[in-house]
Amino acid sequence: AQTVTQSQPEMSVQEAETVTLSCTYDTSESDYYLFWYKQPPSRQMILVIRQEAYKQQNATENRFSVNFQKAAKSFSLKISDSQLGDAAMYFCAYRSLGNRKLIWGLGTSLAVNP
Amino acid sequence: GAGVSQSPSNKVTEKGKDVELRCDPISGHTALYWYRQSLGQGLEFLIYFQGNSAPDKSGLPSDRFSAERTGGSVSTLTIQRTQQEDSAVYLCASSLVSSGGANQETQYFGPGTRLLVL
């Protein structure tokens, strides 16, 4: 069975600085999807970025980028120029090609200090 | 367009009572998912509906939990004889499943229903 591990329960970053959140996963599959979701206090889970495992190029969405290391089964999220609005829980999730349910890590709580 | 909506936003109930949680997916989305988020834990998959196919119920924790999706749109998650351990945030998501387009595989979430069983 697939598992997702986020080893950092809490992180903090100074406004305008860069922070990297870690995520590792375990799978025997060769093709899958990986996601980072953000959950602010409003509870709404918001998609930050996604990566298809067959793509070697790291996904980027504005200030958010990933470092996808398929062999190491690592999928870290880098947030550049951190803003106060980035403060939230961040969840890493895995999805098989043939099974649409998401498998989640336990999350990392990110604080952004002014 | 409108996102996924869920009601009620919060629900407090007494142990042993039944509760119904509602989810309105994004219009046109063919797939609907329910997840549970317990305090201090990650999200746990409960059930998945896709079109007219039989739902994937593999995540339902007990037979007290059931869900239905009427007309391929609105879904109701029912918890019978609630227990204190059922207290959690219940999140619904929907996605558009079709043959093409990477973005169509993305799940979009509602704001959740926070359930408290006393």
Side-chain angles (χ1 to χ4, degrees):
Chain A
Q2 296 88 8
T3 58
V4 177
T5 302
Q6 293 179 249
S7 59
Q8 305 153 316
E10 296 178 348
M11 292 280 286
S12 65
V13 63
Q14 291 297 124
E15 195 175 4
E17 296 294 310
T18 295
V19 65
T20 299
L21 308 184
S22 300
C23 173
T24 58
Y25 57 94
D26 189 25
T27 184
S28 59
E29 299 174 329
S30 60
D31 219 355
Y32 44 85
Y33 300 99
L34 295 165
F35 303 84
W36 278 99
Y37 278 88
K38 167 185 177 181
Q39 187 180 40
S42 67
R43 292 199 312 246
Q44 184 112 31
M45 200 70 77
I46 302 165
L47 178 69
V48 174
I49 201 165
R50 60 173 280 152
Q51 174 84 40
E52 290 87 358
Y54 65 86
K55 290 185 178 179
Q56 294 187 346
Q57 186 174 6
N58 289 325
T60 299
E61 287 286 341
N62 301 314
R63 298 182 295 107
F64 299 87
S65 61
V66 298
N67 183 2
F68 174 48
Q69 301 289 327
K70 190 172 183 179
K73 298 179 182 175
S74 171
F75 182 61
S76 61
L77 174 70
K78 186 172 82 170
I79 306 174
S80 303
D81 186 25
S82 297
Q83 301 176 0
L84 295 178
D86 295 335
M89 281 290 290
Y90 285 81
F91 291 93
C92 178
Y94 171 102
R95 211 211 88 188
S96 300
L97 239 59
N99 187 332
R100 290 192 162 80
K101 68 182 181 184
L102 290 170
I103 299 168
W104 301 79
L106 294 182
T108 296
S109 177
L110 178 67
V112 181
N113 303 315
Chain B
V4 178
S5 61
Q6 292 186 245
S7 61
S9 179
N10 296 281
K11 176 71 176 179
V12 180
T13 190
E14 293 179 349
K15 178 181 172 181
K17 295 286 181 68
D18 298 351
V19 295
E20 286 189 351
L21 312 180
R22 176 188 169 104
C23 173
D24 272 285
I26 293 172
S27 178
H29 278 193
T30 54
L32 187 147
Y33 314 76
W34 284 99
Y35 294 88
R36 178 169 70 175
Q37 185 177 22
S38 302
L39 186 64
Q41 301 184 28
L43 279 79
E44 172 190 14
F45 166 78
L46 296 178
I47 188 169
Y48 157 63
F49 296 90
Q50 165 53 28
N52 295 321
S53 302
D56 176 353
K57 303 180 182 179
S58 60
L60 294 179
S62 77
D63 58 7
R64 296 187 296 106
F65 288 73
S66 63
E68 63 177 18
R69 189 179 185 191
T70 54
S73 181
V74 172
S75 177
T76 301
L77 176 69
T78 301
I79 309 174
Q80 296 178 310
R81 305 180 302 281
T82 52
Q83 304 294 312
Q84 289 181 332
E85 60 263 28
D86 299 334
S87 297
V89 174
Y90 289 82
L91 292 165
C92 175
S94 69
S95 69
L96 178 62
V97 178
S98 67
S99 59
N103 285 337
Q104 293 168 350
E105 298 290 352
T106 298
Q107 295 180 23
Y108 296 89
F109 283 78
T113 294
R114 184 182 298 279
L115 175 66
L116 178 60
V117 182
L118 301 177

